[in-house]
């Protein structure tokens, strides 16, 4: 065993501890989802007689499958608009480094500091006036508005690292700014786009505060609203809620596993470059 290997031996126990800490909530969630309602044993203890009744309750009573479809539609539409609008907005901000654009970027960063719940009342009033309550476009527009600042910030930093010589070469060949963006700049944005898709997609998937007020119809409820339906002032069904939550996090985990390479690269490039 060489010296370098001996120096790295201490890292393995640390990594195992970190892995156990991060994995423990999923283990507890899975245990509770398999336990009968009458099983009051420790959440850490695997059930002696596991059952799938909680998943059946989550599907039949909680209508978690339809909620998954609603959440997926809202997330897909919102993320698509976020990627398109933010990348187009970030391109001129990154290329034209004027005083006005610096002020716009500072304003965008300032918007990121505003707590969404602080403007919930005027936001709800506006949506009522324009007919956005119980409409999918109302929640999509709301999510788009609050997720754009972070996406523009990431895209602006990343595009700033791309040499302007590419734009100049495209201009010499007769490309306008729009064609230069779609044919020259956009192909270089795969990694940061993966970061934007994951970050904003998770926020849209986990949204509860806006969905609670905007999607008031039970036929339009999302995953978070379906899970919360198992809790009330008088009763609660933690086991069925855990089963519904387990089904809800599965698509997000699968998506991250496929995009994690681009996500890490995009976050590092956007922060460093």
């Amino acid at each position: 065993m060489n010296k370098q290997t001996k120096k790295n031996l201490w890292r393995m126990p640390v990594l195992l501890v970190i892995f156990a800490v991060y994995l423990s909530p999923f283990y507890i969630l899975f245990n509770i989802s398999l336990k009968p309602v009458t099983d009051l044993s420790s959440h850490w203890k695997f059930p002696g007689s596991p059952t799938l009744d909680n998943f059946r309750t989550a599907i039949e009573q909680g209508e978690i499958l339809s909620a998954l479809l609603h959440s997926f539609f809202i997330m897909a539409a919102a993320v698509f608009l976020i990627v398109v609008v933010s990348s187009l907005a970030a391109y001129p901000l990154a290329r034209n480094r004027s005083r006005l654009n610096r002020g716009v970027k500072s304003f965008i960063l300032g918007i990121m500091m505003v707590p969404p719940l602080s403007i919930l009342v005027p936001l709800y009033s506006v949506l009522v006036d324009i007919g956005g309550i119980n409409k999918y476009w109302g929640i999509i527009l709301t999510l788009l508005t609050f997720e754009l600042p972070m996406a523009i910030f990431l895209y602006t930093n990343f595009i700033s690292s791309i040499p302007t010589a590419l734009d100049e070469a495209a201009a010499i060949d007769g490309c306008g700014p729009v064609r230069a963006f779609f044919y020259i700049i956009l192909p270089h944005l795969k990694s940061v786009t993966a970061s934007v898709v994951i970050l904003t997609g998770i926020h849209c998937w986990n949204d509860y505060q806006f969905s609670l007020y905007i999607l008031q119809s039970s036929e339009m409820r999302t995953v978070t609203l379906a899970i919360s339906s198992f809790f009330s002032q008088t009763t609660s069904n933690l086991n069925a809620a855990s089963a519904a939550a387990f089904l809800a996090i599965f698509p997000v985990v699968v998506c991250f596993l496929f995009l994690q390479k681009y996500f890490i690269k995009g976050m590092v490039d956007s922060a460093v470059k």
Side-chain angles (χ1 to χ4, degrees):
M1 186 179 298
N2 54 39
K3 294 182 178 180
Q4 187 64 30
T5 305
K6 291 181 178 179
K7 290 181 179 179
N8 293 332
L9 282 178
W10 65 272
R11 297 182 180 180
M12 186 59 65
V14 174
L15 290 176
L16 291 176
V17 171
I18 295 175
F19 179 76
V21 169
Y22 277 93
L23 190 63
S24 57
F26 298 97
Y27 172 75
I28 294 175
L29 182 70
F30 185 65
N31 275 358
I32 298 176
S33 64
L34 293 180
K35 286 185 176 183
V37 180
T38 56
D39 190 347
L40 302 178
S41 60
S42 173
H43 296 330
W44 290 93
K45 183 180 179 181
F46 192 79
S49 54
T51 177
L52 296 178
D53 290 340
N54 297 316
F55 288 92
R56 189 177 298 110
T57 302
I59 294 173
E60 295 177 356
Q61 298 182 12
E63 299 180 349
I64 189 64
L65 295 182
S66 61
L68 286 171
L69 293 177
H70 297 160
S71 292
F72 180 78
F73 170 75
I74 293 172
M75 180 191 68
V79 169
F80 174 77
L81 292 175
I82 290 168
V83 169
V84 173
V85 175
S86 60
S87 59
L88 289 174
Y91 181 52
L93 289 176
R95 284 296 186 250
N96 301 325
R97 300 180 181 180
S98 62
R99 181 178 300 178
L100 176 61
N101 279 356
R102 288 197 297 269
V104 172
K105 287 190 288 186
S106 300
F107 178 73
I108 291 174
L109 289 175
I111 294 178
M112 294 173 61
M113 302 297 108
V114 177
L117 287 178
S118 64
I119 58 173
L120 182 59
V121 174
L123 174 64
Y124 183 82
S125 177
V126 171
L127 288 174
V128 170
D129 293 338
I130 64 177
I133 302 299
N134 284 331
K135 299 291 192 301
Y136 284 123
W137 64 263
I139 185 65
I140 292 172
L141 181 62
T142 302
L143 294 173
L144 171 66
T145 302
F146 283 93
E147 296 298 332
L148 272 180
M150 181 184 65
I152 293 175
F153 174 74
L154 292 175
Y155 272 118
T156 302
N157 289 347
F158 192 90
I159 294 175
S160 298
S161 67
I162 300 176
T164 57
L166 295 177
D167 301 70
E168 297 170 357
I172 293 174
D173 292 337
C175 284
V178 177
R179 291 187 61 189
F181 173 78
F182 284 103
Y183 288 98
I184 306 299
I185 303 300
L186 191 59
H188 292 82
L189 303 181
K190 293 180 181 179
S191 57
V192 69
T193 298
S195 301
V196 171
V197 168
I198 291 177
L199 291 174
T200 60
I202 290 177
H203 291 167
C204 295
W205 186 267
N206 293 335
D207 175 69
Y208 176 77
Q209 54 192 9
F210 295 130
S211 300
L212 179 63
Y213 292 96
I214 298 175
L215 302 179
Q216 300 177 359
S217 174
S218 60
E219 298 177 354
M220 303 177 67
R221 63 184 179 185
T222 57
V223 166
T224 52
L225 298 181
I227 295 174
S228 67
S229 65
F230 291 104
F231 300 96
S232 65
Q233 294 181 352
T234 56
T235 60
S236 64
N237 191 341
L238 180 62
N239 302 72
S242 299
F246 186 82
L247 294 174
I249 65 176
F250 184 75
V252 179
V253 173
V254 172
C255 179
F256 177 76
L257 291 177
F258 280 101
L259 298 176
Q260 61 176 334
K261 178 178 68 175
Y262 301 102
F263 171 74
I264 296 172
K265 185 177 185 301
M267 290 299 294
V268 172
D269 290 346
S270 297
V272 176
K273 294 184 178 179

